[in-house]
Amino acid sequence: MPAHAATSAKPPAGASALVAPLRPRGRPRKTLLERDDGNRRTDLLRAAAALFRSQGFAATTTRDIAAAAGMQSGSPFYHFKSKDALLFAVMHEGMHSALARQRDSLQAQQGQSAMSQLRALVQTHFQVLLGPDSDFVPVMLYEARSLNAAQRSELSALQAEYEALWIPVLTDLHTSGALRAPVGLARLLLLGALNWSVQWFDPRKSATVADLTDAAMALFVGHSAAST
Amino acid sequence: MPAHAATSAKPPAGASALVAPLRPRGRPRKTLLERDDGNRRTDLLRAAAALFRSQGFAATTTRDIAAAAGMQSGSPFYHFKSKDALLFAVMHEGMHSALARQRDSLQAQQGQSAMSQLRALVQTHFQVLLGPDSDFVPVMLYEARSLNAAQRSELSALQAEYEALWIPVLTDLHTSGALRAPVGLARLLLLGALNWSVQWFDPRKSATVADLTDAAMALFVGHSAAST
DNA sequence: CCTACCGATCGGTAGG
DNA sequence: CCTACCGATCGGTAGG
């Protein structure tokens, strides 16, 4: 990513242009009467997520993030108390969004078989990890050790919610014989297989998320897309 | 790990104590006529592997490593040209050792079924990741992005050798119908499931490496330990 | 949110 | 391998 991202830093002035800015202090921007603090914060989050994913948390400087969001070096600290707080916000956003998407996904599976529900969970998980705007959850997965204890425990609550969505489905499949391994270890191994895709998946190559979902279902429960 | 490791820094003088040290320069140690450079280098490698694994490469300082090996802050650079070179050496050692162990493991499987061979590969892989002296390969797996291009390509050759051990076994199992997913994706998903165990495995808890192997075999090829 | 800046830390080196 | 050190970088802040 280039050191300047002027385009995203200056959205065209639209309906939200106000005469009296609400910003606490600082001078007005050249071309805009108002900045949307929420958008600037989001810009920072997105830039941080992308950099944390590609370089890792410790190897990314707050200056990198500021530059990617089109700001000066000290400005991220206007939006976030510390670099740690930025990391936490990225992860929290990632888990929150992933949970919401999986809940929607399961909702659409009302009355369907456990096999079909597992397929939905797997596919949505791949999309969360590999699809558009997919930097947040991989950061959560691969940078957990950079959090302090308090942050980690807050996030682990969300993680527990996420894993809880899988358990009844896996239990059902284990009871029916489709899933051979004990549910607890099966969940850890299965999610590991999916999470590792972050390391090797390349959208420029042949496989699609649908291909991965088919392969994972075949591997874990011996079923392809056809069988519901 | 404490900041001082005087014990490991001063092995008892044994048969290798020479009157004329071969070291290029520097003053003699109080209690020893000779230091074993090979051991000191190994101490550094081990300390680096442990710290890189637990904290990550970028978050580990060369001072941390020096202290863990009982040295002063500048001393690691007597053994390694740079922090990068230390990382590369850790990874290279890890891959070399893992390759050797898997080759031995397969050798002992001569004439056995593909199922039995896969079990051996899986169990040895878990041991390499989770057993004694298991810091090297996890560093390789989780810090690859910290390498430069030249280092990465040298290691990817070893990685390719490692993966090549799995392919005929998986192909055999796919042909016989025991493995349902295409071999290429099956290998990536399967190794991902195993590699992720680094994130959650806790030897203080119930599961053993043998338990994990059983669960993995049941999950991937629907077979428990009994079936050969 | 920018400017200007600080104190601490870090990888690495000379010289013995 | 230690001592003493350097230059660069980094997270973070005051003040507007």
Side-chain angles (χ1 to χ4, degrees), chain B residues 121-176:
Chain B
L121 285 168
V122 168
Q123 178 143 23
T124 302
H125 194 81
F126 274 131
Q127 281 164 350
V128 163
L129 295 181
L130 309 172
D133 288 313
S134 61
D135 291 324
F136 293 78
V137 171
V139 169
M140 158 89 209
L141 291 176
Y142 287 93
E143 296 292 338
R145 65 181 161 201
S146 299
L147 294 173
N148 63 45
Q151 294 170 323
R152 202 184 338 252
S153 80
E154 188 171 340
L155 282 178
S156 70
L158 287 177
Q159 272 180 293
E161 285 185 61
Y162 190 84
E163 293 177 356
L165 298 176
W166 296 70
I167 294 177
V169 177
L170 294 176
T171 302
D172 197 330
L173 289 167
H174 186 256
T175 304
S176 73

Side-chain angles (χ1 to χ4, degrees), chain A residues 90-137:
Chain A
V90 165
M91 293 183 176
H92 195 277
E93 161 62 25
M95 276 311 298
H96 190 78
S97 157
L99 255 177
R101 290 172 70 174
Q102 284 293 25
R103 286 187 173 130
D104 286 353
S105 172
L106 279 182
Q107 201 111 41
Q109 291 287 321
Q110 293 262 5
Q112 300 294 311
S113 68
M115 193 67 80
S116 173
Q117 289 179 22
L118 180 62
R119 162 170 289 276
L121 285 167
V122 168
Q123 179 143 22
T124 302
H125 195 81
F126 274 130
Q127 281 164 350
V128 163
L129 295 180
L130 310 171
D133 288 314
S134 61
D135 292 323
F136 294 77
V137 171

Side-chain angles (χ1 to χ4, degrees), chain A residues 31-203:
Chain A
T31 53
L32 289 179
L33 295 178
E34 165 65 356
R35 313 287 296 289
D36 184 333
D37 273 12
N39 283 345
R40 300 303 293 149
R41 192 188 139 99
T42 300
D43 290 344
L44 274 173
L45 271 184
R46 271 209 247 271
L51 289 164
F52 291 161
R53 179 180 192 164
S54 63
Q55 307 179 356
F57 173 73
T60 300
T61 70
T62 55
R63 284 164 169 80
D64 291 340
I65 297 166
M71 295 177 187
Q72 298 302 313
S73 67
S75 302
F77 298 96
Y78 172 73
H79 294 279
F80 295 92
K81 188 189 172 195
S82 66
K83 189 187 177 192
D84 268 36
L86 240 176
L87 176 64
F88 180 76
V90 165
M91 293 183 176
H92 195 277
E93 161 62 25
M95 276 311 298
H96 190 78
S97 157
L99 255 177
R101 290 172 70 174
Q102 284 293 25
R103 286 187 173 130
D104 286 353
S105 172
L106 279 182
Q107 201 111 41
Q109 291 287 321
Q110 293 262 5
Q112 300 294 311
S113 68
M115 193 67 80
S116 173
Q117 289 179 22
L118 180 62
R119 162 170 289 276
L121 285 167
V122 168
Q123 179 143 22
T124 302
H125 195 81
F126 274 130
Q127 281 164 350
V128 163
L129 295 180
L130 310 171
D133 288 314
S134 61
D135 292 323
F136 294 77
V137 171
V139 169
M140 158 90 211
L141 291 176
Y142 287 94
E143 297 292 337
R145 65 182 161 202
S146 299
L147 294 174
N148 62 46
Q151 294 171 323
R152 202 185 335 255
S153 79
E154 188 170 341
L155 281 177
S156 68
L158 288 177
Q159 272 181 292
E161 285 185 60
Y162 191 82
E163 293 177 357
L165 298 176
W166 296 70
I167 294 178
V169 177
L170 294 176
T171 302
D172 197 330
L173 289 167
H174 186 256
T175 303
S176 74
L179 185 76
R180 306 299 186 94
V183 172
L185 286 176
R187 175 177 53 79
L188 289 164
L189 292 168
L190 197 157
L191 279 172
L194 307 192
N195 290 343
W196 195 252
S197 68
V198 167
Q199 307 278 357
W200 52 264
F201 182 72
D202 183 353

Side-chain angles (χ1 to χ4, degrees), chain B residues 35 40 72 75 78-79:
Chain B
R35 314 287 295 290
R40 300 304 293 148
Q72 297 304 312
S75 302
Y78 173 73
H79 295 278

